[in-house]
Amino acid sequence: MVRNPRSAAALLAGAALLAAAVPAGAWPFGGAKPAATAPASPANGKAAPDAPQKASPEQRAAANRLDPLARAAFWQHEANIDPKDPEAGIGLAVALRQLGRSDEAADAAERVLVFAPKNEDALLESARAHIVAGHGFYSLAPLKQAAAQFPKDWRPVSLMAVALEQDERPDEALAAYNQALKLSPNNPAVLSNLGLFYAQRGDQAQAEALLRQAVAQPAATAQERQNLALILGLNGKIGEAEHLIRQDLPPETADADLAYLKASYDRPALGAQAAVRPAQTAPLAGASHSWNAVQ
C-alpha cells in the first residue's frame, strides 16, 4: 500500500518502533544493560531513579558495528532519551530500513526533519526508505531539497535517478544518472545503477560495459560485483558470473544463486533479454532491497 504523507503531529505521536527486545549480549556496553542506581531524594527520603544518560561517542561507534536488530534497539533507546537527537533518529531509520521496515524507517527520519528540516542525512534517509519500499514518488521532495542545499553532493541526484525510474520517468532518470556521474565521475554505485537501468530496457551490451566499469573501480563493493554477476549470468556467461559470486558469498548461497542464473538463462523467455528482477524476488544476495543500490 502506498503511504500517504504524514503530518508533523502524526510523526510525533510516539508509536512504538521496535517490539523486539535486544539480547543482553548485544548491548554494546558489554553484557546486560546496567540498571540505574536510585539515590535517596532529600525531599521525601524515597529512592528516585537517575535521569537516563546518553551513550558516549565511543559507545555509539560500537553500536554502529552491531547487527541491524541490535542497532535498532540501541538507537531507539537513545531516541527515547532525547527525541530531538538527530544522530539517534537517523541511526534508528538506517537500522529499520535494513530490517525491511521501510515505513517505520521513513517515519524515524521524518521525525528528525520536524526539528532539523535541513539535515541532509535525514533527508537522504527518508528518501532511501521510500525507495526501498518501492514508493519513489514520495522520495522526490526530500531529494530535491537536499540537492538544492548541497549542489555538489552526488548522493541526492543519484537517489533521484532511482526514484524517477520507479516513478516511470526514464528520460528524467537517465539525465539524473548522468548528472550524478558529472558530480562523482566513475562512481561505482552510480555506474552500477545506470547499468541496471539499461539492462531493464534490453540493452545488455551497454549494461555489461557499465557494470564492468563499476567493478573495476577501487571503491567497488560486493553490491557492484553481484550486479555484474547477475547480468553476466542472464547473458549465459555463467563461468565468469560464478567467479564473481563466490568472491563474496558462502558456498550454499553461491550455489543457490548459480542455480537461479542457469535456470533463467535456459528458459527461452529470458536469456539475454531477461529483465533485472527486483531484489525481493531475485536470490542474488549481493543485491540491495530494491534493484538499485540506495547509497
Side-chain angles (χ1 to χ4, degrees):
M1 181 177 66
V2 177
R3 302 173 68 255
N4 293 320
R6 289 169 166 77
S7 67
L11 293 174
L12 293 172
L17 295 179
L18 190 72
V22 63
W27 188 256
F29 310 156
K33 183 174 77 170
T37 58
S41 168
N44 54 25
K46 294 182 179 179
D50 283 340
Q53 299 295 314
K54 290 185 181 183
S56 68
E58 294 77 14
Q59 290 165 334
R60 290 186 170 206
N64 280 327
R65 295 191 289 271
L66 300 172
D67 64 85
L69 180 60
R71 277 190 284 114
F74 175 89
W75 288 118
Q76 178 67 79
H77 178 262
E78 293 295 290
N80 288 342
I81 294 173
D82 182 2
K84 295 184 180 181
D85 182 344
E87 183 182 13
I90 294 164
L92 177 60
V94 172
L96 289 169
R97 172 171 58 83
Q98 292 172 345
L99 288 169
R101 297 164 66 169
S102 302
D103 283 355
E104 294 171 279
D107 287 345
E110 288 159 13
R111 275 195 297 276
V112 174
L113 293 171
V114 172
F115 301 105
K118 295 183 179 181
N119 186 298
E120 185 184 19
D121 289 334
L123 289 167
L124 296 182
E125 198 52 43
S126 170
R128 291 186 186 104
H130 289 302
I131 289 170
V132 166
H135 305 153
F137 174 81
Y138 294 110
S139 73
L140 291 174
L143 289 173
K144 288 176 182 177
Q145 181 182 341
Q149 290 178 197
F150 305 95
K152 295 183 179 181
D153 191 345
W154 64 273
R155 295 175 300 167
V157 183
S158 178
L159 287 168
M160 198 178 303
V162 179
L164 288 164
E165 254 194 281
Q166 288 187 346
D167 204 33
E168 299 182 5
R169 295 156 67 177
D171 292 342
E172 293 173 78
L174 181 58
Y177 280 127
N178 289 328
Q179 178 62 24
L181 285 173
K182 287 181 181 179
L183 292 169
S184 181
N186 292 319
N187 184 294
V190 181
L191 288 168
S192 181
N193 284 348
L194 182 56
L196 296 180
F197 172 90
Y198 281 108
Q200 293 215 78
R201 284 153 185 81
D203 191 341
Q204 302 299 320
Q206 180 72 344
E208 183 176 325
L210 286 164
L211 285 159
R212 287 186 184 279
Q213 186 180 349
V215 168
Q217 304 308 311
T221 68
Q223 173 78 56
E224 287 79 52
R225 289 189 290 273
Q226 296 308 304
N227 284 346
L228 175 58
L230 172 63
I231 299 305
L232 291 171
L234 291 175
N235 283 298
K237 301 176 181 180
I238 302 297
E240 192 174 358
E242 179 174 5
H243 175 73
L244 289 167
I245 287 171
R246 294 197 185 279
Q247 282 187 45
D248 302 300
L249 304 179
E252 61 276 10
T253 307
D255 290 343
D257 286 357
L258 287 165
Y260 165 74
L261 289 174
K262 290 174 183 176
S264 297
Y265 182 69
D266 289 341
R267 282 187 296 219
L270 291 173
Q273 296 300 316
V276 180
R277 301 170 63 193
Q280 293 95 317
T281 56
L284 297 190
S288 80
H289 289 290
S290 74
W291 59 85
N292 307 82
V294 288
Q295 297 184 29

